[in-house]
Amino acid sequence: MKELTAFHDAANCKTPEQLNISKKIIGYMCSYVPEELIHAAGFHPMRLFSSKSDIVLAENHLQAYCCSPVRGVLENSLSGRLDFLSGAVFPHTCDSIQRLSDIWRMNNRYEFFWDVVWPAKLNTQSALTYMKDVLIKFRQDLENACGTSISDETLHDSILTYNTIRKKLSRIYELNAQNPGILNACDLLAIVKGTMIMDRDTAAMLLNTIVDQLEKKQPPDKPVKRIIIAGGICDSPDVYTIIEAAGGCVVADDLCTGQRWFKELTDETTDPISALVKRYSQRLPCPAKHNGLTKRGDHLVQLCQTHKADGIVFMLLKFCDPHGFDYPYLKETLDKHHIKSILCELDDQQQNSGQLSTRIETFIHMI
Amino acid sequence: MSDDQKNNLKIKSAKKMRDLMTTYYLEALTARQNNKKIAWITSGGPVEPLLAMDIIPVYPENHAAMIGASKMGEDLCVKAENMGYSSDLCSYARADISCAVVKGGPLGGLPEPDMLICCNNICGTVLKWYEVQARYYNVPLFILDTPVCHTGYSPAIAKYVETQLGEYIAFLEKICKAPFDYDKMQQVGDLSYDAQMLWQKILETAAHKPSPMSAFDAFFFLALIVTLRGTRIAVDFYQELLEEMTQRINQGIGVVPDEQHRLLWDNLPIWPKLKWLSDKFSSHNACLVADTYTSAWCGTIKYVDKSQFLKSIAEAYTRIYLNIGVDQMADQVMDMIDFYDAKGLIMHSNRSCKPYSFGQMDIMNIVSKKKGIPVLMIEADMVDPRSFSTSQIETRIDAFMEMIKQRS
Ligand code: SF4
Ligand code: SF4
């Protein structure tokens, strides 16, 4: 499929010129960023990933016990690799991102900077009211930055674009789960990651074509083990390749670079700000947010059941607190339901080690 | 120095403080028999409404500090790791989580909670930690969400936190099946305010040369302002302690013999190594005259309005040291350097505490540039001794002190 090339290009961090992005670019690194608003302001929201290069300049700002995405993105910024950005936005999630926001602001390299300090709990009325206040303020900030007002109609259009993207991505996951192997694992990752980087209107169009083609495609006639990946950011094509090579297929995920980012749609029928509050508070929670005590465990079990998964691979990033705290409970919940899982700890900087492949291979052969 | 002289240097109130803490923990441990309810609460959480409802507050963080100081931290941290918790997580949380299961630590475990009160003004870790305990004990959890004030306190934040204080009270009324006691709240508020004022004055006595106390003493005397602020006990005790400090100043007694160098400490103490560190700095005639940690329990008193205590604590609890931007933290550090006339800064880069430690390097650069004083950063952990390399840290402290001496 030639459409895939565009996603691979974007996922491989080609420059904005190479990607034909001419709008002002606003970087972000968390799935709680209300991208619809940025898009409606006429900016291009681009998710930032670590380029996995050596940490040199960020060494002077963040200790080695900080997670690799945070150190890696700061390194990219300080080394000038992100000079194409016009600004960045930081929603409040974990402690590490909280401090990255301060350090980023204090090193002041770009035209724009915003903190979108969401509530940490998402299940009370006062939290939702506060969330709405924060969104309204962010909308005003964006209006000041782009110099025009963001009308409800424009915002509504952006919501439609994002809903299209989300529906198409969900459909791709669905088709791949129904016919494991119609997409190879690297392509699946590139599609999601690429969408977060490339122009969103282009993405919506291309995803549509991909879905059409996949609908017609015959799955390879080969038995596979059905695998779910769970964790925070999984930006490692190697992991997907290892799973595939060992006879597994990723049929779903619980990742913020995966279904947690795109699963829920925004209501197109109510006023756009309320609709966004509803979407961002009701979407699958990231562990840095509180939304009940068992939601993540319940969701994971349900995900396994609906996808008839054979096992779960936890990909946790080293030094990631929110996920580290949730892991024992998630594991216990899965054990109770006799769902097999394996824990892999990884660091953006050092990708595929032989040990990682051996672990995953053994797991897949065993289940 | 003779034994008499050494005794003279010791702070007399220390014994009383130990007794008060023992009584406090005994009362907490026997609360059930006395039909009292127990709330576990985070160190930065608003305890005053609990006292107004006659609920006994228990602080897992204070308990974890005791675990660290009594050198039981490694064992409990390892136990948590065996339960699946990564060794990179906060060691207070690790120690507490495993302690709840194995009933370890110096007290054989904390008394079980009837409710959990989590205020995330210090970190996101407590949110996760209290979720773990809420599942384990199956008790109600109240989260007081205090959005980070990166650059200021907005009207939206004020409204949100004030509303939640109302929800907090409703939560307590429901659990206690009794109406909230606003009269008692007023008394508790007054006592809390007075204790914070006294605590601030006590810490400020260290501006005197020689300093009558050091940050190591502050780490020790901190326990009351954390656990018993809002009670008469804390006010009375700190009154006495303040008098003792004033007396020491009048008599010219410094806590470090022949104090020559004044330093500031940043971040939590390294509990299992307190004595070692204190001796080490003393041997260089250096006094850690102040720290950014213990001052957090009086640092926002300027926002408290005694006549409108409940409303005003929304701002006071939200704008504490760890919940503001790194640039504002740097400003506070520099104010302390000036106020205490510190000639060097020791930063504990604490593997356990990310919100405290990330940003330290920027603060270090700002301080070096604007104040021109040397800064030493040592990497360790507040409870887990496995992150403390004695020989390496000793060498670095010695070298740092040489530099300080050459400059003085
Ligand atoms: S959630 Fe985890 S991996 Fe993501 S930025 Fe925070 S600590 Fe790092
Ligand atoms: S030490 Fe830091 S991370 Fe741990 S509970 Fe305290 S503030 Fe939170």
Side-chain angles (χ1 to χ4, degrees):
Chain A
M1 265 184 278
K2 64 177 188 317
E3 288 75 16
L4 288 173
T5 323
F7 290 92
H8 279 282
D9 282 350
N12 290 326
C13 299
K14 290 264 164 57
T15 64
E17 294 89 70
Q18 288 167 311
L19 298 174
N20 275 324
I21 296 170
S22 53
K23 297 176 184 173
K24 286 192 171 181
I25 301 175
I26 305 297
Y28 70 93
M29 47 184 305
C30 165
S31 60
Y32 275 103
V33 167
E35 291 182 51
E36 295 87 339
L37 269 176
I38 302 174
H39 183 263
F43 297 133
H44 172 68
M46 181 186 280
R47 182 149 182 164
L48 305 176
F49 291 88
S50 163
S51 64
K52 302 174 180 119
S53 50
D54 289 346
I55 301 294
V56 184
L57 299 164
E59 281 283 1
N60 298 322
H61 298 271
L62 286 166
Q63 292 91 326
Y65 52 88
C66 173
C67 72
S68 52
V70 164
R71 292 224 306 167
V73 169
L74 184 65
E75 180 69 28
N76 288 350
S77 168
L78 297 173
S79 63
R81 279 192 287 271
L82 300 179
D83 280 353
F84 57 78
L85 289 181
S86 292
V89 49
F90 292 87
H92 180 256
T93 46
C94 66
D95 296 336
S96 309
I97 296 223
Q98 172 186 328
R99 288 307 179 212
L100 175 65
S101 141
D102 286 331
I103 295 169
W104 191 282
R105 174 172 52 81
M106 290 159 65
N107 285 279
N108 190 20
R109 296 179 66 97
Y110 312 98
E111 188 181 355
F112 306 121
F113 171 90
W114 300 286
D115 282 310
V116 173
V117 187
W118 286 138
K121 57 179 177 184
L122 301 174
N123 58 351
T124 66
Q125 190 46 53
S126 58
L128 299 189
T129 307
Y130 169 69
M131 204 168 179
K132 191 167 182 178
D133 288 343
V134 171
L135 259 190
I136 292 171
K137 171 77 172 41
F138 185 43
R139 181 187 193 158
Q140 287 163 355
D141 289 345
L142 285 166
E143 287 175 337
N144 291 339
C146 71
T148 57
S149 71
I150 302 170
S151 70
D152 276 2
E153 288 70 41
T154 321
L155 185 50
H156 186 251
D157 286 347
S158 294
I159 289 176
L160 293 183
T161 306
Y162 272 86
N163 275 353
T164 306
I165 291 176
R166 290 177 185 135
K167 278 183 222 159
K168 296 300 163 190
L169 286 172
S170 292
R171 184 64 189 147
I172 291 172
Y173 265 57
E174 222 171 73
L175 288 167
N176 188 49
Q178 282 161 9
N179 312 300
I182 51 167
L183 258 179
N184 74 46
C186 278
D187 290 341
L188 186 70
L189 174 66
I191 289 174
V192 183
K193 186 177 169 189
T195 304
M196 296 173 162
I197 293 171
M198 65 167 54
D199 178 77
R200 296 301 190 277
D201 300 285
T202 315
M205 208 176 63
L206 292 175
L207 287 171
N208 201 18
T209 321
I210 293 179
V211 169
D212 285 348
Q213 298 192 24
L214 288 179
E215 301 269 10
K216 291 179 221 133
K217 210 172 158 193
Q218 285 301 315
D221 188 20
K222 199 170 73 182
V224 292
K225 297 278 174 61
R226 303 170 65 87
I227 301 295
I228 289 174
I229 306 188
I233 299 166
C234 186
D235 176 26
S236 164
D238 290 349
V239 170
Y240 287 76
T241 320
I242 295 168
I243 293 177
E244 191 168 54
C249 176
V250 179
V251 292
D253 69 42
D254 182 28
L255 297 170
C256 70
T257 48
Q259 291 184 284
R260 275 211 302 276
W261 175 60
F262 64 74
K263 194 122 187 292
E264 280 84 4
L265 302 179
T266 309
D267 187 347
E268 298 169 4
T269 59
T270 53
D271 93 90
I273 290 288
S274 308
L276 288 174
V277 168
K278 194 163 148 215
R279 180 192 185 263
Y280 284 94
S281 60
Q282 292 183 357
R283 52 155 277 200
L284 295 168
C286 142
K289 297 282 169 218
H290 175 83
N291 199 346
L293 292 169
T294 59
K295 209 160 185 160
R296 294 198 65 223
D298 297 345
H299 169 68
L300 214 47
V301 169
Q302 203 202 358
L303 202 62
C304 285
Q305 288 166 345
T306 45
H307 287 87
K308 301 197 174 50
D310 296 302
I312 292 201
V313 177
F314 281 98
M315 296 300 315
L316 300 193
L317 283 164
K318 196 149 170 55
F319 306 119
C320 173
D321 290 350
H323 284 280
F325 273 109
D326 265 6
Y327 168 71
Y329 144 72
L330 292 176
K331 164 96 169 70
E332 192 189 310
T333 309
L334 294 174
D335 286 351
K336 265 190 213 142
H337 287 85
H338 310 291
I339 299 168
K340 301 231 165 34
S341 66
I342 185 175
L343 170 67
C344 303
E345 234 192 10
L346 129 149
D347 182 322
D348 252 2
Q349 250 63 36
Q350 0 160 300
Q351 292 290 319
N352 182 16
S353 62
Q355 212 195 355
L356 181 70
S357 10
T358 318
R359 272 178 72 79
I360 295 182
E361 273 162 24
T362 317
F363 175 69
I364 292 183
H365 293 152
M366 202 187 69
I367 55 179
Chain B
M1 196 186 303
S2 73
D3 279 357
D4 265 7
Q5 279 169 316
K6 267 194 202 148
N7 271 336
N8 201 17
L9 294 185
K10 280 201 185 130
I11 298 174
K12 311 267 177 312
S13 305
K15 174 168 183 320
K16 178 140 190 209
M17 162 87 191
R18 270 194 202 95
D19 294 345
L20 289 174
M21 284 309 286
T22 309
T23 314
Y24 159 73
Y25 270 112
L26 275 177
E27 202 185 327
L29 287 164
T30 52
R32 278 268 143 64
Q33 285 102 292
N34 301 323
N35 284 324
K36 288 208 172 180
K37 291 207 185 302
I38 292 178
W40 284 16
I41 179 167
T42 53
S43 65
V47 64
E48 295 85 355
L50 296 176
L51 297 180
M53 290 299 263
D54 219 12
I55 298 167
I56 303 212
V58 166
Y59 291 81
E61 287 157 78
N62 174 258
H63 179 230
M66 277 164 54
I67 290 173
S70 50
K71 303 196 177 16
M72 297 168 111
E74 177 169 351
D75 174 53
L76 286 168
C77 284
V78 169
K79 289 197 166 104
E81 286 151 34
N82 293 337
M83 289 162 68
Y85 292 94
S86 156
S87 59
D88 299 317
L89 298 172
C90 165
S91 54
Y92 275 1
R94 269 182 291 149
D96 179 64
I97 289 170
S98 65
C99 192
V101 177
V102 303
K103 306 254 178 288
L107 305 172
L110 283 176
E112 291 189 9
D114 296 293
M115 71 199 88
L116 299 165
I117 313 293
C118 170
C119 179
N120 61 355
N121 57 356
I122 45 173
C123 62
T125 281
V126 288
L127 187 72
K128 302 309 297 173
W129 171 5
Y130 276 57
E131 284 179 356
V132 170
Q133 297 301 33
R135 281 190 294 262
Y136 182 72
Y137 288 110
N138 194 22
V139 292
L141 164 66
F142 183 80
I143 296 166
L144 184 77
D145 183 14
T146 47
V148 189
C149 303
H150 286 284
T151 50
Y153 187 66
S154 68
I157 296 181
K159 185 172 84 180
Y160 179 37
V161 181
E162 284 169 23
T163 311
Q164 290 178 84
L165 283 171
E167 293 165 5
Y168 181 21
I169 285 167
F171 172 89
L172 297 179
E173 286 179 325
K174 195 168 155 210
I175 291 193
C176 298
K177 300 192 188 73
F180 190 69
D181 189 339
Y182 286 92
D183 292 335
K184 183 136 187 242
M185 183 66 230
Q186 189 61 47
Q187 295 161 17
V188 172
D190 286 351
L191 291 167
S192 168
Y193 183 89
D194 294 347
Q196 291 180 60
M197 273 309 225
L198 284 164
W199 180 240
Q200 185 166 31
K201 283 191 188 138
I202 292 166
L203 295 178
E204 284 174 1
T205 61
H208 190 269
K209 294 176 189 171
S211 174
M213 63 180 282
S214 72
F216 295 105
D217 301 307
F219 295 149
F220 173 73
F221 288 113
L222 171 74
L224 272 197
I225 192 75
V226 177
T227 54
L228 290 169
R229 74 177 174 279
T231 67
R232 167 70 47 202
I233 305 170
V235 173
D236 289 348
F237 176 76
Y238 284 132
Q239 189 67 53
E240 279 175 41
L241 182 59
L242 179 62
E243 277 156 26
E244 187 182 349
M245 290 304 137
T246 317
Q247 233 173 44
R248 286 166 73 93
I249 289 178
N250 293 339
Q251 293 168 359
I253 303 174
V255 74
V256 168
D258 189 19
E259 171 194 301
Q260 287 173 15
H261 311 289
R262 300 169 63 83
L263 307 171
L264 182 73
W265 174 273
D266 179 57
N267 212 311
L268 277 82
I270 305 171
W271 295 111
K273 295 287 173 188
L274 272 193
K275 171 99 178 51
W276 184 88
L277 283 165
S278 165
D279 291 347
K280 182 83 225 160
F281 285 106
S282 286
S283 74
H284 286 287
N285 304 105
C287 181
L288 303 190
V289 286
D291 70 281
T292 55
Y293 178 63
T294 55
S295 50
W297 280 268
C298 55
T300 56
I301 195 160
K302 57 176 177 281
Y303 304 120
V304 180
D305 174 354
K306 252 184 158 179
S307 66
Q308 287 200 65
F309 187 81
L310 259 185
K311 189 171 188 291
S312 66
I313 56 172
E315 183 164 3
Y317 276 106
T318 305
R319 302 187 82 168
I320 67 157
Y321 187 70
L322 277 183
N323 212 38
I324 56 179
V326 168
D327 40 355
Q328 297 170 61
M329 293 166 89
D331 287 342
Q332 291 197 19
V333 169
M334 289 189 291
D335 285 347
M336 292 183 87
I337 289 172
D338 291 342
F339 183 83
Y340 292 98
D341 196 21
K343 299 292 185 218
L345 171 62
I346 315 280
M347 300 191 104
H348 168 204
S349 166
N350 182 356
R351 290 183 69 98
S352 264
C353 189
K354 297 182 172 93
Y356 217 142
S357 304
F358 298 163
Q360 266 180 327
M361 296 171 111
D362 283 72
I363 297 179
M364 173 163 97
N365 293 334
I366 295 173
V367 167
S368 319
K369 210 183 284 159
K370 294 202 177 158
K371 293 285 157 203
I373 62 170
V375 184
L376 172 68
M377 187 174 276
I378 48 180
E379 191 173 308
D381 183 281
M382 64 216 174
V383 163
D384 192 337
R386 287 171 294 174
S387 304
F388 194 93
S389 150
T390 309
S391 58
Q392 198 197 16
I393 290 179
E394 174 154 42
T395 316
R396 299 201 54 213
I397 292 179
D398 289 342
F400 179 76
M401 287 315 303
E402 277 318 308
M403 185 159 68
I404 295 269
K405 282 171 202 169
Q406 277 165 21
R407 294 165 62 108
S408 67

